[in-house]
Amino acid sequence: MSTDKLRRMADQIARNFEAIGHDNAVLATADHINKFWDPRMKAGIFGDDWSQLSPIAAAAIEKLAKGANPAPQTGATEFNKVDEVGHSDAG
């Protein structure tokens, strides 16, 4: 996957969380990328020029690159246990 596409995806995720405020959006973006991007995608964005990302996306990538493992920030990344309902609709 090209770095242009990874940048675009990271920025789209960040833009989606903008309404919850900068600091919360950074954590939610980092959480989403941490949970849903495969290691090759993360390696690609970690090795890229973060100055080309939006401020929220850049801060999220910086946190992850430093080893942060953010707690679930939205219901979309809080997964159900077996036979439990009420969290993610992703499965």
mmCIF file of all heavy atoms in Angstrom, residues 22-61:
data_model
loop_
_atom_site.group_PDB
_atom_site.id
_atom_site.type_symbol
_atom_site.label_atom_id
_atom_site.label_comp_id
_atom_site.label_asym_id
_atom_site.label_seq_id
_atom_site.Cartn_x
_atom_site.Cartn_y
_atom_site.Cartn_z
ATOM 1 N N HIS A 22 -9.433 17.762 20.251
ATOM 2 C CA HIS A 22 -8.112 17.336 19.787
ATOM 3 C C HIS A 22 -7.545 16.161 20.584
ATOM 4 O O HIS A 22 -7.170 15.133 20.003
ATOM 5 C CB HIS A 22 -7.131 18.510 19.822
ATOM 6 C CG HIS A 22 -5.752 18.142 19.385
ATOM 7 N ND1 HIS A 22 -5.388 18.116 18.064
ATOM 8 C CD2 HIS A 22 -4.668 17.748 20.085
ATOM 9 C CE1 HIS A 22 -4.128 17.721 17.967
ATOM 10 N NE2 HIS A 22 -3.665 17.500 19.175
ATOM 11 N N ASP A 23 -7.449 16.280 21.897
ATOM 12 C CA ASP A 23 -6.799 15.233 22.694
ATOM 13 C C ASP A 23 -7.540 13.903 22.607
ATOM 14 O O ASP A 23 -6.913 12.848 22.454
ATOM 15 C CB ASP A 23 -6.663 15.675 24.155
ATOM 16 C CG ASP A 23 -5.688 16.823 24.327
ATOM 17 O OD1 ASP A 23 -4.896 17.100 23.399
ATOM 18 O OD2 ASP A 23 -5.726 17.465 25.391
ATOM 19 N N ASN A 24 -8.869 13.944 22.695
ATOM 20 C CA ASN A 24 -9.646 12.709 22.572
ATOM 21 C C ASN A 24 -9.558 12.137 21.167
ATOM 22 O O ASN A 24 -9.526 10.915 20.987
ATOM 23 C CB ASN A 24 -11.107 12.955 22.953
ATOM 24 C CG ASN A 24 -11.288 13.201 24.426
ATOM 25 O OD1 ASN A 24 -10.533 12.702 25.254
ATOM 26 N ND2 ASN A 24 -12.284 13.987 24.772
ATOM 27 N N ALA A 25 -9.529 13.017 20.169
ATOM 28 C CA ALA A 25 -9.419 12.559 18.783
ATOM 29 C C ALA A 25 -8.076 11.885 18.525
ATOM 30 O O ALA A 25 -8.006 10.890 17.799
ATOM 31 C CB ALA A 25 -9.622 13.728 17.819
ATOM 32 N N VAL A 26 -7.012 12.405 19.138
ATOM 33 C CA VAL A 26 -5.691 11.773 19.003
ATOM 34 C C VAL A 26 -5.746 10.353 19.558
ATOM 35 O O VAL A 26 -5.297 9.396 18.912
ATOM 36 C CB VAL A 26 -4.595 12.608 19.702
ATOM 37 C CG1 VAL A 26 -3.298 11.828 19.810
ATOM 38 C CG2 VAL A 26 -4.372 13.922 18.965
ATOM 39 N N LEU A 27 -6.310 10.209 20.756
ATOM 40 C CA LEU A 27 -6.392 8.873 21.368
ATOM 41 C C LEU A 27 -7.284 7.940 20.558
ATOM 42 O O LEU A 27 -6.953 6.765 20.362
ATOM 43 C CB LEU A 27 -6.911 8.983 22.799
ATOM 44 C CG LEU A 27 -5.949 9.598 23.798
ATOM 45 C CD1 LEU A 27 -6.645 9.804 25.149
ATOM 46 C CD2 LEU A 27 -4.708 8.731 23.966
ATOM 47 N N ALA A 28 -8.418 8.444 20.085
ATOM 48 C CA ALA A 28 -9.326 7.602 19.305
ATOM 49 C C ALA A 28 -8.699 7.193 17.972
ATOM 50 O O ALA A 28 -8.864 6.051 17.531
ATOM 51 C CB ALA A 28 -10.646 8.337 19.078
ATOM 52 N N THR A 29 -7.985 8.098 17.341
ATOM 53 C CA THR A 29 -7.306 7.778 16.077
ATOM 54 C C THR A 29 -6.214 6.742 16.316
ATOM 55 O O THR A 29 -6.102 5.761 15.566
ATOM 56 C CB THR A 29 -6.717 9.056 15.440
ATOM 57 O OG1 THR A 29 -7.780 9.992 15.212
ATOM 58 C CG2 THR A 29 -6.009 8.750 14.134
ATOM 59 N N ALA A 30 -5.432 6.931 17.364
ATOM 60 C CA ALA A 30 -4.381 5.963 17.694
ATOM 61 C C ALA A 30 -4.986 4.600 18.008
ATOM 62 O O ALA A 30 -4.488 3.563 17.545
ATOM 63 C CB ALA A 30 -3.559 6.469 18.879
ATOM 64 N N ASP A 31 -6.063 4.594 18.771
ATOM 65 C CA ASP A 31 -6.747 3.343 19.111
ATOM 66 C C ASP A 31 -7.218 2.627 17.847
ATOM 67 O O ASP A 31 -6.984 1.429 17.669
ATOM 68 C CB ASP A 31 -7.920 3.658 20.037
ATOM 69 C CG ASP A 31 -8.772 2.456 20.385
ATOM 70 O OD1 ASP A 31 -8.212 1.361 20.598
ATOM 71 O OD2 ASP A 31 -10.005 2.619 20.473
ATOM 72 N N HIS A 32 -7.852 3.369 16.944
ATOM 73 C CA HIS A 32 -8.362 2.768 15.716
ATOM 74 C C HIS A 32 -7.233 2.174 14.875
ATOM 75 O O HIS A 32 -7.326 1.029 14.417
ATOM 76 C CB HIS A 32 -9.132 3.811 14.908
ATOM 77 C CG HIS A 32 -9.707 3.261 13.642
ATOM 78 N ND1 HIS A 32 -10.989 2.785 13.562
ATOM 79 C CD2 HIS A 32 -9.157 3.080 12.418
ATOM 80 C CE1 HIS A 32 -11.205 2.335 12.341
ATOM 81 N NE2 HIS A 32 -10.107 2.515 11.623
ATOM 82 N N ILE A 33 -6.182 2.941 14.669
ATOM 83 C CA ILE A 33 -5.056 2.463 13.855
ATOM 84 C C ILE A 33 -4.401 1.259 14.518
ATOM 85 O O ILE A 33 -4.077 0.269 13.863
ATOM 86 C CB ILE A 33 -4.063 3.609 13.595
ATOM 87 C CG1 ILE A 33 -4.690 4.620 12.634
ATOM 88 C CG2 ILE A 33 -2.727 3.079 13.052
ATOM 89 C CD1 ILE A 33 -3.922 5.906 12.472
ATOM 90 N N ASN A 34 -4.241 1.314 15.821
ATOM 91 C CA ASN A 34 -3.629 0.213 16.560
ATOM 92 C C ASN A 34 -4.441 -1.078 16.414
ATOM 93 O O ASN A 34 -3.872 -2.152 16.249
ATOM 94 C CB ASN A 34 -3.501 0.596 18.031
ATOM 95 C CG ASN A 34 -2.619 -0.339 18.804
ATOM 96 O OD1 ASN A 34 -1.550 -0.719 18.332
ATOM 97 N ND2 ASN A 34 -3.048 -0.698 19.987
ATOM 98 N N LYS A 35 -5.760 -0.963 16.433
ATOM 99 C CA LYS A 35 -6.618 -2.150 16.391
ATOM 100 C C LYS A 35 -6.837 -2.698 14.982
ATOM 101 O O LYS A 35 -6.958 -3.899 14.809
ATOM 102 C CB LYS A 35 -7.995 -1.826 16.981
ATOM 103 C CG LYS A 35 -8.012 -1.464 18.433
ATOM 104 C CD LYS A 35 -7.925 -2.662 19.328
ATOM 105 C CE LYS A 35 -8.156 -2.422 20.787
ATOM 106 N NZ LYS A 35 -7.662 -1.223 21.402
ATOM 107 N N PHE A 36 -6.928 -1.810 13.994
ATOM 108 C CA PHE A 36 -7.398 -2.242 12.681
ATOM 109 C C PHE A 36 -6.361 -2.237 11.558
ATOM 110 O O PHE A 36 -6.622 -2.790 10.497
ATOM 111 C CB PHE A 36 -8.615 -1.401 12.259
ATOM 112 C CG PHE A 36 -9.793 -1.595 13.166
ATOM 113 C CD1 PHE A 36 -10.218 -0.571 13.977
ATOM 114 C CD2 PHE A 36 -10.460 -2.812 13.224
ATOM 115 C CE1 PHE A 36 -11.304 -0.734 14.827
ATOM 116 C CE2 PHE A 36 -11.540 -2.997 14.070
ATOM 117 C CZ PHE A 36 -11.968 -1.951 14.870
ATOM 118 N N TRP A 37 -5.229 -1.607 11.759
ATOM 119 C CA TRP A 37 -4.204 -1.624 10.719
ATOM 120 C C TRP A 37 -3.267 -2.801 10.940
ATOM 121 O O TRP A 37 -2.865 -3.079 12.067
ATOM 122 C CB TRP A 37 -3.407 -0.326 10.734
ATOM 123 C CG TRP A 37 -4.122 0.848 10.143
ATOM 124 C CD1 TRP A 37 -5.469 1.053 10.075
ATOM 125 C CD2 TRP A 37 -3.512 1.995 9.565
ATOM 126 N NE1 TRP A 37 -5.729 2.259 9.484
ATOM 127 C CE2 TRP A 37 -4.551 2.861 9.167
ATOM 128 C CE3 TRP A 37 -2.201 2.377 9.362
ATOM 129 C CZ2 TRP A 37 -4.301 4.089 8.558
ATOM 130 C CZ3 TRP A 37 -1.959 3.602 8.757
ATOM 131 C CH2 TRP A 37 -3.003 4.433 8.358
ATOM 132 N N ASP A 38 -2.891 -3.459 9.858
ATOM 133 C CA ASP A 38 -1.949 -4.567 10.013
ATOM 134 C C ASP A 38 -0.523 -4.018 10.193
ATOM 135 O O ASP A 38 -0.273 -2.839 9.947
ATOM 136 C CB ASP A 38 -2.074 -5.578 8.870
ATOM 137 C CG ASP A 38 -1.443 -5.173 7.558
ATOM 138 O OD1 ASP A 38 -0.421 -4.461 7.559
ATOM 139 O OD2 ASP A 38 -1.953 -5.594 6.521
ATOM 140 N N PRO A 39 0.396 -4.864 10.662
ATOM 141 C CA PRO A 39 1.757 -4.394 10.952
ATOM 142 C C PRO A 39 2.459 -3.728 9.772
ATOM 143 O O PRO A 39 3.231 -2.781 9.953
ATOM 144 C CB PRO A 39 2.487 -5.665 11.380
ATOM 145 C CG PRO A 39 1.413 -6.535 11.941
ATOM 146 C CD PRO A 39 0.200 -6.247 11.087
ATOM 147 N N ARG A 40 2.195 -4.172 8.557
ATOM 148 C CA ARG A 40 2.829 -3.548 7.381
ATOM 149 C C ARG A 40 2.338 -2.126 7.178
ATOM 150 O O ARG A 40 3.115 -1.233 6.827
ATOM 151 C CB ARG A 40 2.544 -4.373 6.125
ATOM 152 C CG ARG A 40 3.214 -5.744 6.139
ATOM 153 C CD ARG A 40 2.671 -6.606 5.049
ATOM 154 N NE ARG A 40 1.244 -6.821 5.331
ATOM 155 C CZ ARG A 40 0.408 -7.483 4.550
ATOM 156 N NH1 ARG A 40 0.828 -7.984 3.414
ATOM 157 N NH2 ARG A 40 -0.849 -7.641 4.878
ATOM 158 N N MET A 41 1.050 -1.910 7.413
ATOM 159 C CA MET A 41 0.499 -0.558 7.278
ATOM 160 C C MET A 41 1.101 0.366 8.340
ATOM 161 O O MET A 41 1.494 1.494 8.040
ATOM 162 C CB MET A 41 -1.023 -0.596 7.411
ATOM 163 C CG MET A 41 -1.714 -1.341 6.292
ATOM 164 S SD MET A 41 -3.451 -1.687 6.655
ATOM 165 C CE MET A 41 -4.165 -0.055 6.502
ATOM 166 N N LYS A 42 1.174 -0.122 9.573
ATOM 167 C CA LYS A 42 1.756 0.681 10.656
ATOM 168 C C LYS A 42 3.221 0.994 10.359
ATOM 169 O O LYS A 42 3.654 2.140 10.518
ATOM 170 C CB LYS A 42 1.639 -0.050 11.998
ATOM 171 C CG LYS A 42 0.223 -0.166 12.499
ATOM 172 C CD LYS A 42 0.211 -0.959 13.797
ATOM 173 C CE LYS A 42 -1.144 -1.512 14.084
ATOM 174 N NZ LYS A 42 -1.161 -2.395 15.242
ATOM 175 N N ALA A 43 3.966 -0.001 9.913
ATOM 176 C CA ALA A 43 5.389 0.229 9.591
ATOM 177 C C ALA A 43 5.525 1.277 8.494
ATOM 178 O O ALA A 43 6.414 2.127 8.541
ATOM 179 C CB ALA A 43 6.054 -1.082 9.177
ATOM 180 N N GLY A 44 4.643 1.231 7.516
ATOM 181 C CA GLY A 44 4.689 2.198 6.426
ATOM 182 C C GLY A 44 4.456 3.623 6.896
ATOM 183 O O GLY A 44 5.164 4.543 6.505
ATOM 184 N N ILE A 45 3.479 3.815 7.760
ATOM 185 C CA ILE A 45 3.172 5.172 8.232
ATOM 186 C C ILE A 45 4.190 5.632 9.268
ATOM 187 O O ILE A 45 4.527 6.801 9.335
ATOM 188 C CB ILE A 45 1.712 5.282 8.749
ATOM 189 C CG1 ILE A 45 1.238 6.739 8.785
ATOM 190 C CG2 ILE A 45 1.538 4.659 10.107
ATOM 191 C CD1 ILE A 45 0.746 7.277 7.507
ATOM 192 N N PHE A 46 4.723 4.698 10.075
ATOM 193 C CA PHE A 46 5.737 5.081 11.065
ATOM 194 C C PHE A 46 7.005 5.584 10.365
ATOM 195 O O PHE A 46 7.679 6.467 10.859
ATOM 196 C CB PHE A 46 6.111 3.911 11.982
ATOM 197 C CG PHE A 46 5.021 3.465 12.920
ATOM 198 C CD1 PHE A 46 5.134 2.259 13.568
ATOM 199 C CD2 PHE A 46 3.883 4.224 13.165
ATOM 200 C CE1 PHE A 46 4.146 1.818 14.448
ATOM 201 C CE2 PHE A 46 2.893 3.797 14.030
ATOM 202 C CZ PHE A 46 3.021 2.584 14.675
ATOM 203 N N GLY A 47 7.314 5.011 9.209
ATOM 204 C CA GLY A 47 8.520 5.384 8.477
ATOM 205 C C GLY A 47 8.323 6.568 7.544
ATOM 206 O O GLY A 47 9.253 6.964 6.847
ATOM 207 N N ASP A 48 7.125 7.131 7.537
ATOM 208 C CA ASP A 48 6.807 8.225 6.625
ATOM 209 C C ASP A 48 7.107 9.580 7.266
ATOM 210 O O ASP A 48 7.456 9.671 8.445
ATOM 211 C CB ASP A 48 5.317 8.141 6.255
ATOM 212 C CG ASP A 48 4.927 9.042 5.099
ATOM 213 O OD1 ASP A 48 5.793 9.314 4.243
ATOM 214 O OD2 ASP A 48 3.770 9.480 5.052
ATOM 215 N N ASP A 49 6.934 10.618 6.498
ATOM 216 C CA ASP A 49 7.088 12.005 6.959
ATOM 217 C C ASP A 49 5.773 12.453 7.590
ATOM 218 O O ASP A 49 4.813 12.755 6.894
ATOM 219 C CB ASP A 49 7.443 12.899 5.773
ATOM 220 C CG ASP A 49 7.557 14.363 6.148
ATOM 221 O OD1 ASP A 49 7.476 14.701 7.349
ATOM 222 O OD2 ASP A 49 7.725 15.175 5.226
ATOM 223 N N TRP A 50 5.726 12.494 8.918
ATOM 224 C CA TRP A 50 4.481 12.814 9.632
ATOM 225 C C TRP A 50 4.052 14.253 9.440
ATOM 226 O O TRP A 50 2.896 14.594 9.713
ATOM 227 C CB TRP A 50 4.623 12.508 11.111
ATOM 228 C CG TRP A 50 5.021 11.097 11.404
ATOM 229 C CD1 TRP A 50 4.922 10.020 10.567
ATOM 230 C CD2 TRP A 50 5.599 10.603 12.598
ATOM 231 N NE1 TRP A 50 5.398 8.890 11.180
ATOM 232 C CE2 TRP A 50 5.831 9.221 12.432
ATOM 233 C CE3 TRP A 50 5.955 11.200 13.806
ATOM 234 C CZ2 TRP A 50 6.379 8.431 13.424
ATOM 235 C CZ3 TRP A 50 6.498 10.400 14.797
ATOM 236 C CH2 TRP A 50 6.708 9.025 14.603
ATOM 237 N N SER A 51 4.933 15.121 8.983
ATOM 238 C CA SER A 51 4.563 16.524 8.777
ATOM 239 C C SER A 51 3.514 16.663 7.680
ATOM 240 O O SER A 51 2.864 17.709 7.576
ATOM 241 C CB SER A 51 5.791 17.364 8.448
ATOM 242 O OG SER A 51 6.277 17.052 7.152
ATOM 243 N N GLN A 52 3.345 15.630 6.881
ATOM 244 C CA GLN A 52 2.347 15.674 5.813
ATOM 245 C C GLN A 52 0.970 15.229 6.279
ATOM 246 O O GLN A 52 0.015 15.240 5.515
ATOM 247 C CB GLN A 52 2.817 14.824 4.634
ATOM 248 C CG GLN A 52 4.081 15.379 4.013
ATOM 249 C CD GLN A 52 4.437 14.670 2.738
ATOM 250 O OE1 GLN A 52 3.576 14.371 1.923
ATOM 251 N NE2 GLN A 52 5.714 14.415 2.549
ATOM 252 N N LEU A 53 0.870 14.822 7.565
ATOM 253 C CA LEU A 53 -0.406 14.399 8.141
ATOM 254 C C LEU A 53 -1.084 15.570 8.833
ATOM 255 O O LEU A 53 -0.436 16.546 9.217
ATOM 256 C CB LEU A 53 -0.174 13.288 9.171
ATOM 257 C CG LEU A 53 0.374 11.965 8.655
ATOM 258 C CD1 LEU A 53 0.794 11.081 9.816
ATOM 259 C CD2 LEU A 53 -0.660 11.266 7.794
ATOM 260 N N SER A 54 -2.385 15.443 9.051
ATOM 261 C CA SER A 54 -3.095 16.425 9.856
ATOM 262 C C SER A 54 -2.524 16.384 11.277
ATOM 263 O O SER A 54 -1.931 15.373 11.682
ATOM 264 C CB SER A 54 -4.590 16.103 9.890
ATOM 265 O OG SER A 54 -4.824 14.912 10.636
ATOM 266 N N PRO A 55 -2.692 17.451 12.058
ATOM 267 C CA PRO A 55 -2.142 17.453 13.420
ATOM 268 C C PRO A 55 -2.646 16.296 14.288
ATOM 269 O O PRO A 55 -1.871 15.711 15.043
ATOM 270 C CB PRO A 55 -2.593 18.807 13.978
ATOM 271 C CG PRO A 55 -2.728 19.678 12.773
ATOM 272 C CD PRO A 55 -3.237 18.765 11.688
ATOM 273 N N ILE A 56 -3.915 15.942 14.161
ATOM 274 C CA ILE A 56 -4.463 14.838 14.959
ATOM 275 C C ILE A 56 -3.839 13.518 14.529
ATOM 276 O O ILE A 56 -3.397 12.728 15.371
ATOM 277 C CB ILE A 56 -6.001 14.794 14.849
ATOM 278 C CG1 ILE A 56 -6.610 16.010 15.559
ATOM 279 C CG2 ILE A 56 -6.563 13.493 15.425
ATOM 280 C CD1 ILE A 56 -8.103 16.202 15.310
ATOM 281 N N ALA A 57 -3.795 13.259 13.238
ATOM 282 C CA ALA A 57 -3.211 12.009 12.742
ATOM 283 C C ALA A 57 -1.732 11.918 13.101
ATOM 284 O O ALA A 57 -1.257 10.868 13.535
ATOM 285 C CB ALA A 57 -3.406 11.895 11.233
ATOM 286 N N ALA A 58 -1.000 13.021 12.950
ATOM 287 C CA ALA A 58 0.430 13.018 13.267
ATOM 288 C C ALA A 58 0.663 12.714 14.747
ATOM 289 O O ALA A 58 1.548 11.921 15.095
ATOM 290 C CB ALA A 58 1.053 14.360 12.901
ATOM 291 N N ALA A 59 -0.130 13.314 15.627
ATOM 292 C CA ALA A 59 0.021 13.059 17.061
ATOM 293 C C ALA A 59 -0.326 11.614 17.401
ATOM 294 O O ALA A 59 0.328 10.985 18.246
ATOM 295 C CB ALA A 59 -0.846 14.026 17.862
ATOM 296 N N ALA A 60 -1.338 11.060 16.746
ATOM 297 C CA ALA A 60 -1.714 9.667 16.977
ATOM 298 C C ALA A 60 -0.603 8.714 16.537
ATOM 299 O O ALA A 60 -0.243 7.779 17.266
ATOM 300 C CB ALA A 60 -3.013 9.347 16.233
ATOM 301 N N ILE A 61 -0.044 8.964 15.361
ATOM 302 C CA ILE A 61 1.035 8.120 14.849
ATOM 303 C C ILE A 61 2.261 8.233 15.753
ATOM 304 O O ILE A 61 2.930 7.240 16.045
ATOM 305 C CB ILE A 61 1.382 8.500 13.391
ATOM 306 C CG1 ILE A 61 0.195 8.224 12.463
ATOM 307 C CG2 ILE A 61 2.639 7.783 12.911
ATOM 308 C CD1 ILE A 61 -0.303 6.799 12.449
#
